[in-house]
Amino acid sequence: MTDDTLRVLAAGAADLVELATESSLRPRSLDEYIGQGDVKASLGVLLQAARGRGEAADHVLLYGPPGLGKTTLATIIARELGVNVRYTSGPAIERAGDLAAILTALDERDVLFIDEIHRLNRAVEEILYPAMEDYALDVMIGKGPSARSLRLTLKPFTVVGATTRAGRISGPLRDRFGATYRLDFYSDDELTAIVRRSAGIMGIEVDDRAAGAIARRGRGTPRIVNRLLRRVRDHAEVHGSGRIDEDAVLEAMRVLDVDDLGLDTTDRKLLAAIVQKFGSGPVGVQALAAVLSEEVETIEDVYEPFLLRLGFLDRTPQGRIATDAARQHLASLGFEIPPPRRADTDLAGLWDGPAA
């Protein structure tokens, strides 16, 4: 089993079969959507009001880590409004003419979903401002002295923007969204409910303990628990009766090399490198990348966020530090844990009171 195979658990859909299966598991209404209670409540009011007035809903910005349901919510918004949805992404809109073609093809009150909206070309973004605010499109016709500006009137529409990096969205674009929602990671109970729902759609028998075992390894992300469920189903069909119980989950996770907390081989290699090669840190990310033969951006964007959320890793000005919780977890898995090289200091911390 290679690291690349394991990393599929946290990456995008690997092939068309995976993508089709994932699409079939997506909820189709707010009532079916599990989790994100505050977002659902606020969004439900917004959509019900727009539907009652027969108007296009306010533009909506969704942000948060990948796999939490931003694309699913965009589709639900269109379904709740009873209109069509058009999908595109920031990098796909290279020229202003591309955006103009998309906007002029929208029917009244349609939803335009722009994924990774923070990666929009700046020139395209400038065209989008009046389109979102005034439902108008400014187009330049001709070149040189004979060039002239033409304003096209658009039908009212709703932009649903999604991004994993809200900080990279320019202020003028962010201000044009009437509603902004942050999607948080899911609890184990919510993920367990998602596993049961997905299993029912796929026609799989999953008992409560098995569903909980899959949910605990889901990294708080519905996309990942659905992938794990499919891998466990494959294992149960090939090596068992097809029914998924806790033993089948544990055996499948052992084959996939995913531990109780959802860490895979690469996650453990990163922690082990800090603990064993660098005395638990601090170590610079450049040195860590060289040891793991990975890019710095990959470590910062793919591996570290989950480890930071677990409290296994600290980012300091001096470098990365493996916490005591990380050392204990590796020790429980049989790793050799040398003593940390960082010396404890007797100096009081900034927020500590005076020494007794």
Side-chain angles (χ1 to χ4, degrees):
M1 184 69 63
T2 64
D3 294 348
D4 290 341
T5 303
L6 295 169
R7 182 51 55 185
V8 168
L9 295 175
D15 52 40
L16 294 178
V17 175
E18 291 266 322
L19 194 59
T21 305
E22 186 171 301
S23 298
S24 68
L25 299 179
R26 294 182 188 272
R28 296 175 175 268
S29 67
L30 283 178
D31 291 336
E32 291 183 18
Y33 194 94
I34 298 172
Q36 311 296 342
D38 293 340
V39 174
K40 283 174 56 179
S42 178
L43 194 57
V45 173
L46 184 150
L47 297 178
Q48 185 175 349
R51 189 170 57 244
R53 294 190 301 265
E55 300 176 354
D58 276 347
H59 305 299
V60 177
L61 178 63
L62 305 171
Y63 71 96
L68 297 187
K70 295 184 288 294
T71 303
T72 299
L73 272 180
T75 306
I76 288 175
I77 288 173
R79 287 181 179 275
E80 295 283 341
L81 293 174
V83 298
N84 298 318
V85 57
R86 175 77 179 268
Y87 301 91
T88 186
S89 65
I93 309 175
E94 298 180 351
R95 296 177 297 274
D98 299 336
L99 179 62
I102 293 173
L103 294 178
T104 54
L106 294 175
D107 291 329
E108 189 167 349
R109 301 192 301 119
D110 274 359
V111 171
L112 173 62
F113 175 64
I114 306 177
D115 198 11
E116 297 301 320
I117 196 170
H118 67 274
R119 296 178 62 186
L120 274 175
N121 185 299
R122 185 51 56 91
V124 172
E125 192 174 302
E126 295 288 343
I127 298 293
L128 190 58
Y129 294 159
M132 294 176 66
E133 204 162 23
D134 303 322
Y135 301 119
L137 196 62
D138 295 319
V139 180
M140 293 300 298
I141 299 177
K143 294 183 179 180
S146 62
R148 60 191 180 91
S149 176
L150 177 65
R151 170 159 282 209
L152 301 176
T153 301
L154 301 171
K155 297 173 183 176
F157 65 97
T158 299
V159 172
V160 178
T163 179
T164 55
R165 298 190 174 187
R168 292 193 178 182
I169 299 178
S170 64
L173 179 58
R174 190 185 305 113
D175 291 343
R176 282 168 170 80
F177 286 96
T180 301
Y181 302 110
R182 184 186 190 280
L183 303 189
D184 291 320
F185 289 102
Y186 288 63
S187 67
D188 285 352
D189 289 341
E190 291 169 340
L191 291 178
T192 300
I194 290 173
V195 171
R196 292 198 191 98
R197 176 185 177 275
S198 298
I201 293 173
M202 298 165 65
I204 307 171
E205 283 188 63
V206 179
D207 62 34
D208 292 343
R209 293 174 64 88
I214 295 174
R216 287 194 301 273
R217 294 162 172 80
R219 296 173 175 251
T221 307
R223 181 182 296 166
I224 294 178
V225 295
N226 284 332
R227 303 250 175 97
L228 290 175
L229 175 61
R230 288 195 291 271
R231 300 291 76 79
V232 173
R233 175 197 60 183
D234 295 343
H235 190 273
E237 289 177 351
V238 173
H239 297 288
S241 62
R243 185 178 182 277
I244 298 178
D245 55 19
E246 188 176 19
D247 291 338
V249 173
L250 296 179
E251 178 62 22
M253 294 301 105
R254 185 188 64 78
V255 173
L256 292 172
D257 208 9
V258 176
D259 64 26
D260 293 345
L261 297 180
L263 299 184
D264 62 21
T265 304
T266 310
D267 298 316
R268 291 192 294 272
K269 280 184 178 179
L270 189 149
L271 290 177
I274 298 175
V275 170
Q276 295 178 340
K277 296 182 181 297
F278 300 101
S280 296
V283 54
V285 68
Q286 296 281 357
L288 200 55
V291 169
L292 297 174
S293 299
E294 292 280 3
E295 297 291 335
V296 172
E297 292 79 8
T298 304
I299 292 177
E300 292 179 337
D301 297 340
V302 179
Y303 304 143
E304 287 187 344
F306 183 59
L307 297 176
L308 288 167
R309 189 160 61 89
L310 285 178
F312 282 2
L313 203 63
D314 282 341
R315 283 178 176 174
T316 70
Q318 293 77 30
R320 274 55 174 173
I321 295 177
T323 64
D324 290 339
R327 293 164 54 84
Q328 292 171 7
H329 182 67
L330 290 179
S332 69
L333 297 176
F335 284 80
E336 181 181 350
I337 309 298
R341 72 181 180 192
R342 58 184 187 278
D344 292 332
T345 176
D346 293 333
L347 298 176
L350 179 63
W351 304 110
D352 295 338

